Amino acid sequence: MRVTTKLTVPIVFLLSAGCSSAVDDSSEGVATVSDDNPFYTESTQPYQLPPFDRIDESHFLPAFERGMAEQLAEVSAISEQIAPPTFENTLVPLERSGVLLNRVAATFFNLSSADTNEALDQIRAEVAPMLASHTDQILLNGRLFDRVSSLYEQGETLGLNDESLRLVERHYVDFVRAGALLSEAEQQRMQEINGEMAALQTTFTQNVLDGVNAAAIVVDGHDQLAGLPEGQVAAAAAAATSRGLDGKYVIALLNTSGQPPLSALDNRSLRERIMRGSLARGSEDGEYDNREVITRLAELRAERAVMLGYPNHAAYILDEQTAQTVTAVNERLASLVPPAVANANREAADLQAMASADTGDVELAAWDWSYYTEKVRAARYDFDASELRPYLEIDAVIEKGVFYAATQLYGITFEARSDLTPYHPDVRVWEVFDHDGTPLGLFLGDFYARPSKRGGAWMSAYVTQSQLLDTTPVIANHLNITKPVDGEPTLLTFDEVETMFHEFGHALHGFFSDVEYPYFAGTAVPRDFVEYPSQVNEMWATWPEVLANYAIHYETGEPMPKVLLDKVLETAAFNQGFATTEYLAASLLDQAWHQLTADQVPAPQDVATFEASALQEAGVGLAVVPPRYRSTYFSHIWGSGYSAGYYSYIWAEVLDADSVEWFKENGGLRRENGDHFRRTLLSKGGSVDAMDLFRAFRGAEPNIDPLLVRRGLN
């Protein structure tokens, strides 16, 4: 998943998701600490890497306040000009505005996701509505909108190049979608809605992180962990010790419904505890209860959509995506449900047979699926997924896999920068160079899970590329791999390997950006397009030349045996009924929430009933296949930028699967292919219509057939 932290107007609302209380735009009282605040000046670190060793929590709020005040002053200077609006006196300075605010926001929001603490949580709760109000003061500035509107109406008569003309159009649309055409009273209500939403999203995010930590499963004895690899047992013991529970074991949860230990644990009652604990998060009375948060968010989003002329929030969101309409998304998802569920039911029958043979009279449950999937896989393919782990050591995967593929395809190279100080000791830094030795930027790899880090995997940027601002990317990838005890190697699952390739696909999108304006930099593309390049990059994880290069036994140095390698490829489509169904269930749940009108939103106590009904009506209400995320911990749609957009992964996978076919047809891992993909698509960011980019790369309209074959839906 890609997450933006770019705050260039009007992208700021992606972070704050709304607006409300006014911010004093005078300079009086803005700086509450001395001017040695590291955010007040451009970082002197390479590529403007934040000086993490000099940053203290006390620096953030004053820098936010000063940054907002400075940008409002810059915007005022633009909007109050007497001179008629031109591109150069209106949109160019607007793109240049907010440098300090962007600097502090990028650092703060990355840290509050990757390494938060109580102080950062408090700042986030305080600053969210302030940023929302700040955004409104810009996007609802009537004088500024008049200038932008005037340029928009002049259109092609301005004589601008394509990227500049698109910038005019995109800014105009953003102002309108923020409410610039509403009455004064409606704009006031819009600000109230946005401010409340910003606060609620922050509450949701903090509840999810605190809730997943609180829901960790405590196990009393070693015997209950039979089946779990000893490295994971040791990590569970270390986690317990860190919580003051010496002699016990703690199984930390990820922010998904399914949990990795379920595939290995022999103890069925413990598997049930883990799954029930996972599914219950945020939906029970207590301090982490998210039911009221999400129902209120759904109401506010629906109200805002109607104010802006849309029937519901989904229609409002999809109008700006490549899908464009609710009907298009509904039809695509509905068309995939019957074959996916049929596959899942066939898989369930196989698992039930295995469970019955294993333990006698047992009815397959959600907590059994992963466990018996591995048994069926082993029986059918003579393959145990745990056999892979010794060949998937993290350093080899990164340097001989992810980096190697990028070098072969694009000619780029990497140099470790141990001299640079990241924000956490586990984070690693590399400098990235183009094929001709030109610097491309810095790459930060933050791969290990920790209690201070939100779940999932994502890419974000501390600095984005822009010719106008003369900036070069600083990009981070974040995963949540369980860190082994000291002295032990980090051995990955194949899912973790694919995730690493996926997230680096987002990073490449950022590094190869070659645009003038920060508005269009890197991954600033429609939500249902942004996952496409990263999904394409996953193909190299199993490309024979790449796999053979990194799949080396960490102790013996021997390559993965061909028979095992063949089984990796042979089982790639295994369990796709489950994988597709759990994903579709979450996507359909997202749409169910966001296609409601405000008066249709259920009461908090009815969230579970609404969810069950929505899944049943959509045809994915399988008890043994819970949605990948239940409503109360569905961070993509309530705490991040994927509301009404979780469908994006499968939507983008149509383009991805079709593009993989193109690479295969053209010889695979060749520089010519990488250069073509980079030149026609990755370098353009959002400066060209997304589907035009795809057509320029592929030379044709997208074909859904490769996706259907990949997922066994044909």
Side-chain angles (χ1 to χ4, degrees):
M1 182 182 76
R2 162 267 195 188
V3 175
T4 182
T5 54
K6 183 171 64 175
L7 215 71
T8 302
V9 171
I11 304 300
V12 60
F13 65 85
L14 291 179
L15 289 176
S16 55
C19 18
S20 169
S21 56
V23 175
D24 183 357
D25 62 359
S26 68
S27 60
E28 182 180 356
V30 169
T32 57
V33 297
S34 63
D35 284 351
D36 64 358
N37 186 316
F39 291 112
Y40 290 169
T41 57
E42 181 179 296
S43 170
T44 59
Q45 296 288 308
Y47 305 96
Q48 299 181 36
L49 176 74
F52 295 110
D53 56 342
R54 293 178 50 219
I55 295 171
D56 183 83
E57 287 92 344
S58 65
H59 295 135
F60 286 112
L61 193 55
F64 269 119
E65 291 173 339
R66 176 178 282 193
M68 285 184 277
E70 286 186 3
Q71 187 170 37
L72 288 178
E74 292 163 342
V75 166
S76 179
I78 298 168
S79 63
E80 298 298 327
Q81 294 178 88
I82 297 175
T86 66
F87 183 83
E88 292 296 330
N89 71 16
T90 300
L91 286 185
V92 169
L94 190 57
E95 284 290 289
R96 289 185 179 278
S97 72
V99 171
L100 169 55
L101 183 56
N102 286 329
R103 186 185 301 137
V104 63
T107 303
F108 175 79
F109 284 101
N110 279 317
L111 290 181
S112 66
S113 292
D115 192 27
T116 194
N117 55 42
E118 186 175 348
L120 293 183
D121 288 346
Q122 291 175 349
I123 294 169
R124 184 166 185 162
E126 183 173 355
V127 82
M130 293 167 59
L131 286 171
S133 175
H134 175 75
T135 305
D136 274 346
Q137 290 185 69
I138 296 171
L139 295 180
L140 299 180
N141 180 319
R143 289 177 179 268
L144 181 60
F145 176 63
D146 287 344
R147 298 183 71 85
V148 173
S149 180
S150 174
L151 296 174
Y152 175 76
E153 290 168 0
Q154 294 176 62
E156 295 186 1
T157 65
L158 294 169
L160 302 173
N161 62 31
D162 289 345
E163 184 178 344
S164 297
L165 182 59
R166 182 169 172 80
L167 187 70
V168 174
E169 295 167 348
R170 294 310 311 158
H171 271 287
Y172 175 79
V173 169
D174 287 334
F175 274 85
V176 172
R177 286 173 60 81
L181 296 177
L182 298 179
S183 69
E184 185 176 342
E186 289 171 326
Q187 288 185 357
Q188 178 58 41
R189 176 56 187 152
M190 184 68 72
Q191 293 182 56
E192 294 169 357
I193 290 172
N194 289 339
E196 187 176 354
M197 288 197 302
L200 288 168
Q201 287 188 191
T202 299
T203 299
F204 178 90
T205 299
Q206 292 176 356
N207 281 349
V208 168
L209 179 58
D210 293 342
V212 78
N213 287 331
I217 305 300
V218 179
V219 179
D220 291 331
H222 183 279
D223 59 319
Q224 297 180 57
L225 300 177
L228 200 65
E230 280 305 311
Q232 295 182 42
V233 173
T241 299
S242 71
R243 294 177 179 227
L245 300 172
D246 292 347
K248 297 183 184 294
Y249 303 85
V250 168
I251 297 177
L253 300 184
L254 302 181
N255 194 39
T256 48
S257 294
Q259 301 296 324
L262 296 176
S263 66
L265 286 167
D266 295 330
N267 188 314
R268 189 171 191 247
S269 63
L270 178 56
R271 296 202 306 268
E272 181 177 358
R273 277 182 63 202
I274 293 171
M275 178 58 87
R276 289 192 182 279
S278 177
L279 295 175
R281 284 173 290 133
S283 62
E284 298 177 323
D285 292 342
E287 57 183 323
Y288 310 128
D289 187 350
N290 263 331
R291 291 174 295 180
E292 187 173 348
V293 176
I294 65 176
T295 53
R296 183 58 180 157
L297 269 171
E299 290 173 350
L300 292 168
R301 288 173 176 175
E303 181 184 352
R304 179 180 63 176
V306 170
M307 288 178 64
L308 293 169
Y310 296 89
N312 51 54
H313 180 72
Y316 168 73
I317 292 295
L318 296 175
D319 189 39
E320 284 292 282
Q321 308 306 311
T322 66
Q324 296 191 322
T325 68
V326 167
T327 299
V329 171
N330 287 348
E331 289 179 350
R332 172 66 56 79
L333 295 178
S335 72
L336 298 174
V337 166
V341 171
N343 280 0
N345 284 330
R346 284 192 291 269
E347 292 165 3
D350 291 341
L351 301 183
Q352 180 64 70
M354 177 64 74
S356 298
D358 186 40
T359 60
D361 186 19
V362 61
E363 183 177 354
L364 187 75
W367 45 88
D368 300 316
W369 191 288
S370 294
Y371 182 74
Y372 286 108
T373 289
E374 292 311 313
K375 288 185 174 294
V376 170
R377 191 199 308 266
R380 183 173 299 171
Y381 300 101
D382 188 25
F383 175 53
D384 181 353
S386 66
E387 295 177 42
L388 296 176
R389 294 176 72 102
Y391 298 94
L392 305 177
E393 191 273 328
I394 190 169
D395 288 339
V397 172
I398 295 167
E399 296 178 0
K400 297 181 179 181
V402 175
F403 290 175
Y404 171 80
T407 299
Q408 298 304 304
L409 200 59
Y410 305 107
I412 63 176
T413 56
F414 305 83
E415 179 182 320
R417 292 294 303 267
S418 57
D419 58 311
L420 299 178
T421 303
Y423 54 87
H424 189 279
D426 287 342
V427 179
R428 300 164 67 180
V429 183
W430 289 268
E431 190 169 8
V432 187
F433 298 93
D434 212 340
H435 61 90
D436 60 358
T438 304
L440 275 177
L442 288 180
F443 175 65
L444 281 63
D446 184 356
F447 303 119
Y448 292 117
R450 50 183 171 269
S452 62
K453 188 179 188 181
R454 72 175 177 84
W458 70 99
M459 164 269 193
S460 57
Y462 286 89
V463 182
T464 57
Q465 178 273 331
S466 167
Q467 295 166 12
L468 179 71
L469 302 183
D470 193 26
T471 51
T472 306
V474 176
I475 291 172
N477 277 177
H478 312 80
L479 279 72
N480 268 279
I481 298 165
T482 299
K483 188 177 182 180
V485 295
D486 289 345
E488 293 297 316
T490 302
L491 305 180
L492 307 181
T493 66
F494 203 76
D495 282 347
E496 290 168 338
V497 171
E498 288 190 316
T499 299
M500 195 169 285
F501 275 85
H502 175 99
E503 295 306 330
F504 196 71
H506 286 308
L508 290 172
H509 204 175
F511 282 125
F512 291 154
S513 177
D514 187 17
V515 299
E516 177 75 12
Y517 306 109
Y519 186 104
F520 296 128
T523 56
V525 297
R527 184 66 67 190
D528 57 6
F529 192 81
V530 74
E531 297 298 337
Y532 154 54
S534 57
Q535 289 174 183
V536 170
N537 204 58
E538 291 179 35
M539 71 177 288
W540 308 117
T542 55
W543 194 259
E545 177 187 341
V546 179
L547 186 60
N549 199 61
Y550 73 80
I552 306 296
H553 197 285
Y554 79 99
E555 289 180 312
T556 67
E558 293 296 315
M560 181 185 290
K562 186 176 186 303
V563 63
L564 190 55
L565 187 152
D566 289 343
K567 288 176 182 178
V568 172
L569 302 178
E570 185 182 5
T571 62
F574 182 71
N575 204 40
Q576 278 299 304
F578 172 88
T580 306
T581 300
E582 69 155 2
Y583 166 77
L584 288 174
S587 298
L588 289 159
L589 188 58
D590 173 24
Q591 292 300 318
W593 278 108
H594 291 117
Q595 291 179 27
L596 296 174
T597 58
D599 60 350
Q600 293 174 324
V601 175
Q605 64 269 23
D606 297 328
V607 165
T609 301
F610 170 80
E611 181 176 291
S613 177
L615 295 174
Q616 199 65 38
E617 289 177 11
V620 289
L622 282 67
V624 291
V625 186
R628 187 173 297 173
Y629 301 96
R630 294 193 67 188
S631 302
T632 51
Y633 50 85
F634 203 164
S635 293
H636 287 75
I637 69 170
W638 303 118
S640 186
Y642 281 70
S643 64
Y646 195 64
Y647 77 93
S648 299
Y649 292 90
I650 200 121
W651 191 273
E653 196 176 347
V654 173
L655 309 182
D656 153 35
D658 196 19
S659 298
V660 168
E661 290 303 305
W662 181 91
F663 275 101
K664 290 178 178 178
E665 292 164 3
N666 288 276
L669 193 73
R670 299 171 63 236
R671 270 292 305 278
E672 296 90 334
N673 293 340
D675 288 346
H676 176 66
F677 193 42
R678 175 178 178 176
R679 181 180 64 256
T680 58
L681 195 145
L682 295 178
S683 65
K684 304 297 185 182
S687 66
V688 177
D689 176 80
M691 292 310 297
D692 287 345
L693 291 176
F694 175 82
R695 286 184 283 266
F697 161 70
R698 187 67 172 95
E701 295 294 329
N703 179 8
I704 196 174
D705 291 342
L707 168 68
L708 300 180
V709 171
R710 174 191 289 184
R711 286 189 173 255
L713 302 178
N714 58 329

